Amino acid sequence: MAEMPSDAPGRFQPLPLFEAATFASWSDVAATMAPLYRTEGTITPGSPLAGEVAKIAAASQDPRIRAASALRLVQDQVRYLFRGMDDGAYVPQAPAHTWSVRYGDCKAKTLLLLAILHELGIEAEATLVNSNAGDVLPKRLPMPGAFDHVIVRATIGGETLWLDGTAGGARLADLGDVPPFRNALPLRAAGAELLPMPMHANARPDADVDVEIDARAGIGFPAPFKLRAALRGGSAMMLRMAQTQLGREKALEMAEHTAGQYVANAEIVDRDLRYDEESGTMIVTASGIARPDWSKEEGRFKLGLDTALDSVSFDPDRARAAWKDIPVSTGDLASSRLATRIRLPGGGTGFAFEGDRTLPATLAGAVLSRKAGIEGEWLAVEDRAVTGVNEVAPADIGATRQQVTLARSHLLKAVAPASAPPRWQQIAAAKQAKVFEPILAAYAKRIAADPKKAEGYTGRATFLESIYDRQAAMRDVEKVIAIAPTTENHLWRARLWSALGDDKKALGDIDSARVLDPGSADALAQFATLRAHGGAVDEALTIVKDKVAAGGKEKNRFLMLQAELLAENGKPADAITALDAAIAAKPGDPTLLNSRCWIKGTARIALDTALKDCTKAIELSEQPSGVLDSRGLVYFRLGRMEEALADFDAALDQAPDLAASLFMRGVIRKQTGAEGADADLAAARMIWPRVGEDYARYGIKP
């Protein structure tokens, strides 16, 4: 059996079966099966079913409206139930019986729909299809077993309509949609050949989603969001089935997962779902807190907005000679619309787009469109994508690959103003403008929904700590520990106690953490540091030396801690000696180099070689803000203030909330009489309240 590329259309894939048939042609199959779908006399005058037909007829003279009403009746009022036991599974259930019991398989539903359409004067015929391998039908031998499904082919005003009674949610707007079955066999007494089913985009997307995000608090902060998704097709049917068979709570969990696909890093607070009868869609709504993924690139904060190209992939392999004439399938039929509106901070002033604000009409077989704009404080992007409609011809593969590469090099992003203030400034402004209140309200709502779960308190405490409201964060962390007294949560509270200046309580939480996990490296490191700063230096050093001697993946971490404690307590030479051996073993480790540079700088020894250590570490580091801070300290010790300020500025450009660099910049500005000293020092203390205490150990004060 010849191997084919996985992205080859189905008709090129080898058939893993052996077939034998007694039918001479597809026409023979059609003629043989056609009598099973005769509708004459199947709707008795005066019967309940006849009454339903009369209602449809009386409501409109328009054949399209009548066809849509008939299809809705069969889809919505008759449950699908597979029945494969009668007469080789080929004989459909009588329409009157189907309507009476209100269930039936595809054969029963098709015959019922066909009978209703004929009563309404609409030209229609039963049509066999294969729901999974329709593209392969022309390669197969003619036989009824080549098909696994039957639908209706209707003709209205010269237009062919493919109507599937087993689907769900079809309305007037959807009559022209083509199910992705590729080929069909009309059942006619005179016989018929296979008909192609040309694919095109559905009138309505499978997922029609609107998201609104309130990002007024600023870049990098949580943002309340609201989502509404109207779902059709398989996902809608799955949610309806889950609600019916698994219960509402399970269906809501599935709805929450659906919402999470459209909102980055979402914490769902509210979610709901309901079936809208008029539109035939499952409506999912959700609200909560998003965390937009802003990242700094080339000195500007940027947020990825491109969703259309997420659905486009194109990496076909046609290197083999036998494959060079095989087109590329673009996958299953799917369509989506995602409209995102973001309320920007600062009234939207200075925000812009980067990348393509429009898209090519087709790309790698996908049908695309985009609208993007900024009006006032609102940024809006609407992406539409349809896949599975077109194939890429062999001759177009090279050009298509280039088009996709080019498109991916211009992904749409929101770009924040170049003068975007650092986070600590945004926090101060946001507190004054009370734009954190919607975020806190969302967290409060989440907690109120289930106050016995730790997740709500955890989320709010994380946010409160991030805006330096440690007292409020502490109250939530205490509730978290009452529910989930884990090692990590005790260490979290210890960190808060330490920031608030209560090392005794911090040590109490660290002790609790070590009881829960005696091997916790984080707990041991925090314990040793606090004990040393509390005066028990020998005890701390003994603990750390033992950890270094034990080796393992944490060895270098504790070696650097040991060196720092030695240097802080009058033994910088011993500290450097310990680091020298480690660096000799790993000369390209920027963390070890930075540690040696830092200790030389804080201890005021070997400052010339300290500069070399830091410079080499900067060259080796992917994110060197911490090393720039260390080198800035060395320049400060050398009295080279301009170079020190340059390094602190560079460190803060990469990490705007680096308390150490803010503090040292404030110190230099204070000593030189430059503007901004008090603001820098206040910001550093807000970010880390004990930063002045830390630097006092090195003899540095404003």
Side-chain angles (χ1 to χ4, degrees):
M1 188 176 294
E3 184 183 358
M4 286 287 133
S6 60
D7 55 10
R11 62 188 178 277
F12 289 90
Q13 300 292 348
L15 285 170
L17 51 85
F18 177 83
E19 289 189 316
T22 58
F23 289 89
S25 65
W26 292 114
S27 184
D28 287 346
V29 175
T32 301
M33 301 293 289
L36 299 176
Y37 291 89
R38 290 175 180 156
T39 62
E40 297 86 351
T42 55
I43 299 180
T44 305
S47 66
L49 182 53
E52 295 295 331
V53 176
K55 290 178 187 178
I56 294 173
S60 176
Q61 295 295 316
D62 187 329
R64 287 186 70 89
I65 294 177
R66 287 182 168 189
S69 298
L71 181 59
R72 178 174 178 176
L73 183 75
V74 173
Q75 286 186 349
D76 293 1
Q77 299 299 316
V78 178
R79 290 182 298 111
Y80 176 80
L81 180 68
F82 176 73
R83 300 184 73 212
M85 61 187 72
D86 299 332
D87 300 305
Y90 292 130
V91 179
Q93 187 171 271
H97 182 67
T98 300
W99 185 250
S100 174
V101 297
R102 298 298 177 93
Y103 64 76
D105 61 7
C106 63
K107 301 182 296 295
K109 283 195 161 207
T110 291
L111 184 55
L112 174 62
L113 177 58
L114 202 58
I116 295 172
L117 292 174
H118 287 166
E119 287 290 313
L120 293 169
I122 295 173
E123 180 184 345
E125 59 191 354
T127 309
L128 298 179
V129 296
N130 190 302
S131 60
N132 295 307
D135 198 34
V136 188
L137 282 174
K139 292 174 59 176
R140 299 189 62 175
L141 295 177
M143 64 176 72
F147 306 95
D148 65 358
H149 192 39
V150 59
I151 61 174
V152 170
R153 176 180 178 271
T155 304
I156 297 177
E159 180 185 2
T160 295
L161 305 177
W162 306 94
L163 311 179
D164 188 347
T166 67
R171 298 295 182 260
L172 179 62
D174 311 313
L175 280 193
D177 292 354
V178 179
F181 303 145
R182 307 291 177 175
N183 291 283
L185 181 66
L187 301 184
R188 301 170 185 167
E193 295 300 322
L194 289 174
L195 290 179
M197 299 173 67
M199 300 299 299
H200 62 74
N202 289 341
R204 296 190 291 169
D206 304 322
D208 193 352
V209 184
D210 289 276
V211 178
E212 185 174 292
I213 299 173
D214 183 356
R216 285 177 297 163
I219 294 168
F221 293 100
F225 77 89
K226 294 185 292 185
L227 172 144
R228 183 185 186 276
L231 306 178
R232 300 179 61 246
S235 58
M237 292 180 69
M238 187 181 303
L239 284 171
R240 289 194 77 184
M241 187 180 300
Q243 196 166 14
T244 301
Q245 298 181 2
L246 303 177
R248 180 167 175 77
E249 189 57 37
K250 186 64 177 177
L252 285 172
E253 290 177 12
M254 296 173 64
E256 183 172 330
H257 175 73
T258 298
Q261 294 176 334
Y262 299 105
V263 182
N265 308 311
E267 294 180 55
I268 307 295
V269 175
D270 276 335
R271 71 273 201 273
D272 195 14
L273 76 162
R274 62 179 178 84
Y275 185 71
D276 184 74
E277 294 287 349
E278 286 310 305
S279 65
T281 56
M282 181 64 79
I283 307 297
V284 173
T285 56
S287 65
I289 302 164
R291 295 183 178 274
D293 190 16
W294 291 92
S295 59
K296 202 164 191 180
E297 303 172 20
E298 301 170 343
R300 302 282 290 270
F301 281 100
K302 300 179 183 181
L303 175 66
L305 299 170
D306 215 305
T307 60
L309 292 180
D310 286 345
S311 60
V312 178
S313 61
F314 194 77
D315 190 23
D317 177 7
R318 295 297 184 272
R320 303 184 191 184
W323 294 359
K324 65 183 180 64
D325 295 325
I326 298 175
V328 179
S329 169
T330 56
D332 297 330
L333 179 65
S335 60
S336 64
R337 169 191 167 273
L338 175 58
T340 303
R341 298 179 74 235
I342 302 176
R343 196 172 184 180
L344 299 168
T349 302
F351 282 84
F353 285 112
E354 174 184 284
D356 290 332
R357 294 177 62 176
T358 59
L359 291 172
T362 60
L363 181 66
V367 180
L368 306 173
S369 69
R370 168 177 292 158
K371 298 176 184 176
I374 297 175
E375 186 172 342
E377 64 180 347
W378 287 98
L379 176 150
V381 178
E382 181 185 271
D383 276 353
R384 295 175 181 258
V386 180
T387 58
V389 173
N390 305 307
E391 296 177 356
V392 177
D396 297 332
I397 289 176
T400 301
R401 186 180 280 110
Q402 292 178 355
Q403 290 167 1
V404 172
T405 300
L406 180 63
R408 289 196 174 278
S409 69
H410 295 90
L411 296 177
L412 185 67
K413 298 179 181 180
V415 183
S419 58
R423 181 183 176 86
W424 60 268
Q425 285 185 1
Q426 293 182 58
I427 290 171
K431 286 180 176 178
Q432 186 174 5
K434 298 183 178 180
V435 293
F436 286 149
E437 290 184 358
I439 301 172
L440 292 170
Y443 280 122
K445 193 171 185 180
R446 183 183 183 192
I447 290 168
D450 196 343
K452 293 183 179 180
K453 283 190 175 181
E455 288 82 0
Y457 301 108
T458 298
R460 187 169 66 184
T462 301
F463 170 65
L464 289 167
E465 185 182 17
S466 76
I467 62 172
Y468 314 125
D469 192 348
R470 296 179 176 88
Q471 292 283 6
M474 178 72 76
R475 291 191 288 271
D476 277 341
V477 173
E478 287 174 351
K479 291 176 180 176
V480 171
I481 290 175
I483 299 169
T486 65
T487 298
E488 292 75 17
N489 289 335
H490 276 292
L491 292 178
W492 186 3
R493 189 166 65 180
R495 184 174 69 245
L496 290 172
W497 282 128
S498 184
L500 294 170
D502 196 331
D503 286 346
K504 183 177 180 180
K505 288 183 178 178
L507 283 167
D509 266 317
I510 293 171
D511 286 339
S512 297
R514 294 179 69 194
V515 169
L516 291 168
D517 182 4
S520 170
D522 290 337
L524 189 61
Q526 286 189 43
F527 178 79
T529 301
L530 289 183
R531 289 296 289 154
H533 291 169
V537 179
D538 290 341
E539 177 192 356
L541 281 171
T542 298
I543 293 171
V544 174
K545 286 178 181 177
D546 288 344
K547 192 67 177 176
V548 172
K553 64 179 182 180
E554 298 287 349
K555 176 181 177 179
N556 282 347
R557 173 185 179 180
F558 282 94
L559 175 65
M560 289 185 288
L561 177 56
Q562 176 190 0
E564 190 163 341
L565 295 179
L566 285 168
E568 287 180 6
N569 291 278
K571 298 180 179 179
D574 292 346
I576 299 301
T577 299
L579 288 170
D580 286 344
I583 292 172
K586 294 183 69 175
D589 189 322
T591 307
L592 290 170
L593 288 166
N594 179 45
S595 178
R596 189 166 67 179
C597 171
W598 173 255
I599 287 171
K600 290 176 181 178
T602 56
R604 287 189 173 185
I605 60 172
L607 296 179
D608 54 340
T609 58
L611 284 179
K612 293 178 181 179
D613 284 340
C614 268
T615 300
K616 186 175 181 181
I618 289 169
E619 294 170 353
L620 294 169
S621 298
E622 293 183 7
Q623 213 287 358
S625 57
V627 195
L628 286 164
D629 177 78
S630 297
R631 193 173 69 177
L633 176 66
V634 176
Y635 280 131
F636 171 80
R637 292 298 203 194
L638 290 167
R640 295 159 64 174
M641 298 306 177
E642 288 188 9
E643 291 159 295
L645 282 174
D647 270 348
F648 291 134
D649 285 341
L652 290 168
D653 184 62
Q654 295 181 11
D657 297 322
L658 190 58
S661 288
L662 279 167
F663 184 83
M664 285 304 303
R665 190 172 70 179
V667 167
I668 294 174
R669 286 176 170 178
K670 195 81 168 175
Q671 292 180 359
T672 59
E675 292 184 3
D678 289 340
D680 279 345
L681 293 170
R685 292 179 180 121
M686 179 174 67
I687 295 166
W688 177 241
R690 302 179 72 172
V691 64
E693 182 182 331
D694 290 342
Y695 276 86
R697 282 194 290 273
Y698 313 132
I700 300 173
K701 295 181 180 180

